[in-house]
Amino acid sequence: MIKPRTPPGVMELLPHDQIAFQRMLDTIRLTFERFGFLPVETPVFELSDVLLTKSGGETERQVYFVQSTGALEKAAAGADGGAGQALPELALRFDLTVPLARYVAEHEHELAFPFRRYQMQRVYRGERAQRGRFREFYQCDIDVIGKDALSPRYDAEIPAVIASVFEALAIGEFTIWLNHRKLLRGFFEGQGIEGERQLAVLRELDKLDKRGEDAVRATLVGEGFGLAADVADRLLAFSRVRSAGHDDALAKLDALGAGTPLFEEGRDELRELLGRLKAMGVAESRYAINLSIARGLDYYTGMVYETTLDAYPQIGSICSGGRYDNLASHYTKSKLPGVGISIGLTRLFFQLRDAGLIAGADSSVDALVTLLDDADLDNALALSQQLRAAGLNVETQLEPRKLARQLQYADRAGIRFVVIRGENEAARGVVAVKDLRRGEQFEVADAELAQRLLAEREQ
């Protein structure tokens, strides 16, 4: 007999937690749609040469390749003339950005631009399984893709979406940290840091929260970078800039002094974004500039975002993203700039549950219709259908059991209402209802049952 066990690096939930997770997904989806984003789904696997546009590197070492039994047998038999040594034809997606790039390039002439899409699906990475790190996890992404150009005005809409999502999830106070890669790169230019060195410095500054200032400064002045001590000090001082409130953010940007044309372009776009957020009514407590935010991925070219929970900074970023110049350069000659964000929902849910910020939800079933005698089965089925038609989620007890056992079952399953119509209730034209959440019981006329349960459910 094989011992049942889940593979490492996956999150498998019991129903109460799964319902809570599903409700988070539903909340995020509804918010994305409220801002006019359209749903997209792509296959769980892509062609390997499409997915891995760059050979080698850390990404390829984490990819799960897909091979059918028949293909393995064919390769083992040498029937493919040695082609079995090549990469398998298919691989599981490791994020939703590369599939989006392929999707937009492939369907470019069928889409309306700017193309606003949301995608909420599982992705797969062969990371070392550890607590809070998963090999299979949900990502919830939105992106706005332009054709040839995309106005910076779209950059301001993204924080408004983030704010709406996390306000709706009600998981605590949060801050959306804002920065601009042009501002960073322009500042580096002013310090004599050019070309590829800028990307290396960006990646190092992005580690400030994890490594601390002393470790980052030692790296910057060490043999690998060789920056002068005063340059490293100015970089770290720049990275310490934070704002508290809308007017303070503008004042902090003004206080940075004059810079290169690229620096000024980034500052102007940040100022514009702050103005748009105010116009959209985003609470100023929800956003702030943070000039240490760099986002390690090299393809970000403009605005960058990271979101953290105020009371739980140790959780890290719960939503991040930014602006990029050309999403699909590997697949099309068209220029497709865009801006987007991603929420790693599996990891976020795990961390929130671990911190006690969310608990398992009640059942998605509103009511259990009991069955005390086989002779009442048809009546129980008819009553259940009436309640469903009114908009309630109903389970019917299909085999007669003692009432105490049915109540025990409903309690364990998290079902709030237990509907009882025995001989006594039927003779009086009423139904008895036990509200297991409040520990109360009441009677209601048959014709009023559905409306009463709907009203009680909202309380």
Side-chain angles (χ1 to χ4, degrees):
M1 183 177 292
I2 298 173
K3 181 181 179 181
R5 60 200 187 278
T6 55
V10 301
M11 184 174 75
E12 187 175 73
L13 302 172
L14 292 173
H16 291 311
D17 283 335
Q18 187 65 50
I19 292 167
F21 184 83
Q22 192 65 45
R23 287 176 180 168
M24 290 183 74
L25 271 176
D26 291 342
T27 297
I28 295 169
R29 179 184 296 107
L30 288 171
T31 306
F32 288 169
E33 290 181 350
R34 195 162 290 124
F35 277 83
F37 289 86
L38 302 172
V40 162
E41 285 200 356
T42 58
V44 68
F45 49 76
E46 298 274 352
L47 292 165
S48 296
D49 64 335
V50 172
L51 190 68
L52 301 172
T53 52
K54 296 180 182 179
S55 60
E58 185 63 27
T59 297
E60 188 167 311
R61 287 194 289 271
Q62 293 183 353
V63 166
Y64 284 106
F65 291 101
V66 180
Q67 192 81 299
S68 70
T69 304
L72 288 170
E73 290 173 349
K74 185 178 179 182
D80 56 0
Q85 302 303 312
L87 290 177
E89 182 184 15
L90 302 173
L92 298 182
R93 61 183 175 223
F94 51 82
D95 69 7
L96 299 178
T97 301
V98 175
L100 172 65
R102 188 270 306 158
Y103 181 95
V104 174
E106 186 173 355
H107 301 288
E108 179 181 343
H109 301 296
E110 305 162 75
L111 299 173
F113 289 93
F115 177 54
R116 303 165 64 87
R117 89 77 164 92
Y118 75 85
Q119 189 169 354
M120 304 170 61
Q121 291 186 278
R122 290 183 175 93
V123 300
Y124 299 85
R125 293 183 192 172
E127 296 185 287
R128 182 172 65 87
Q130 53 186 306
R131 183 173 178 80
R133 303 290 292 182
F134 297 94
R135 294 173 173 174
E136 176 192 65
F137 55 96
Y138 265 96
Q139 281 189 196
C140 304
D141 288 15
I142 57 169
D143 287 85
V144 184
I145 311 299
K147 183 76 176 289
D148 300 323
L150 185 72
S151 168
R153 293 177 179 181
Y154 290 95
D155 297 2
E157 190 178 35
I158 298 298
V161 178
I162 299 173
S164 294
V165 165
F166 289 106
E167 284 167 1
L169 289 176
I171 55 176
E173 297 300 306
F174 59 90
T175 300
I176 305 163
W177 300 103
L178 309 168
N179 199 3
H180 205 296
R181 292 287 280 260
K182 290 179 183 177
L183 190 78
L184 285 168
R185 288 167 48 218
F187 184 77
F188 293 165
E189 284 178 355
Q191 304 303 313
I193 303 169
E194 303 283 352
E196 291 297 318
R197 292 183 75 204
Q198 287 193 356
L199 292 176
V201 172
L202 272 174
R203 285 192 286 267
E204 192 59 32
L205 291 176
D206 202 41
K207 301 173 184 175
L208 275 168
D209 286 343
K210 294 180 180 178
R211 299 188 63 209
E213 278 197 10
D214 291 342
V216 169
R217 186 183 188 281
T219 301
L220 292 175
V221 300
E223 293 183 5
F225 290 85
L227 297 182
D230 61 332
V231 171
D233 289 340
R234 285 195 291 273
L235 287 173
L236 292 174
F238 183 85
S239 298
R240 292 188 200 107
V241 175
R242 308 282 191 279
S243 67
H246 183 86
D247 291 340
D248 186 54
L250 293 172
K252 289 286 199 313
L253 289 175
D254 291 342
L256 294 175
T260 67
L262 187 65
F263 178 91
E264 296 298 343
E265 189 177 341
R267 176 157 56 182
D268 286 345
E269 289 185 7
L270 257 175
R271 286 172 175 150
E272 181 181 352
L273 179 139
L274 291 169
R276 302 291 176 195
L277 291 180
K278 189 169 186 177
M280 286 188 283
V282 178
E284 61 181 273
S285 61
R286 297 303 194 198
Y287 59 89
I289 61 169
N290 179 342
L291 300 191
S292 72
I293 299 298
R295 302 297 305 138
L297 294 175
D298 294 346
Y299 64 78
Y300 289 125
T301 56
M303 206 71 66
V304 286
Y305 321 94
E306 286 196 357
T307 309
T308 57
L309 290 174
D310 295 355
Y312 295 86
Q314 69 275 15
I315 288 179
S317 177
I318 59 174
C319 174
S320 59
R323 159 72 73 136
Y324 40 85
D325 274 342
N326 198 354
L327 173 74
S329 59
H330 292 290
Y331 311 115
T332 178
K333 293 181 180 179
S334 299
K335 186 174 182 182
L336 300 170
V339 60
I341 53 165
S342 181
I343 303 170
L345 187 59
T346 300
R347 183 167 179 262
L348 175 59
F349 181 86
F350 176 87
Q351 291 173 314
L352 293 175
R353 188 179 61 170
D354 211 37
L357 295 178
I358 56 173
D362 291 334
S363 175
S364 54
V365 179
D366 296 312
L368 173 71
V369 174
T370 60
L371 181 64
L372 304 177
D373 189 286
D374 262 334
D376 292 327
L377 178 57
D378 287 349
N379 290 330
L381 291 171
L383 179 58
S384 298
Q385 286 295 89
Q386 290 172 22
L387 296 178
R388 291 179 187 124
L392 291 152
N393 299 336
V394 179
E395 178 183 345
T396 313
Q397 180 69 52
L398 295 177
E399 295 181 291
R401 304 164 73 182
K402 290 183 178 179
L403 181 58
R405 292 189 63 189
Q406 296 184 60
L407 291 169
Q408 184 183 49
Y409 167 79
D411 185 53
R412 187 169 185 179
I415 301 172
R416 179 178 175 181
F417 300 112
V418 178
V419 177
I420 307 160
R421 186 165 62 178
E423 289 183 7
N424 180 273
E425 288 82 14
R428 294 185 289 119
V430 300
V431 178
V433 177
K434 268 195 172 292
D435 183 340
L436 298 183
R437 180 188 298 173
R438 295 180 178 174
E440 300 173 354
Q441 181 168 325
F442 58 88
E443 287 188 350
V444 58
D446 288 355
E448 300 171 6
L449 175 61
Q451 292 307 312
R452 177 69 182 273
L453 290 180
L454 286 168
E456 293 287 339
R457 187 181 66 178
E458 301 306 314
Q459 297 180 13

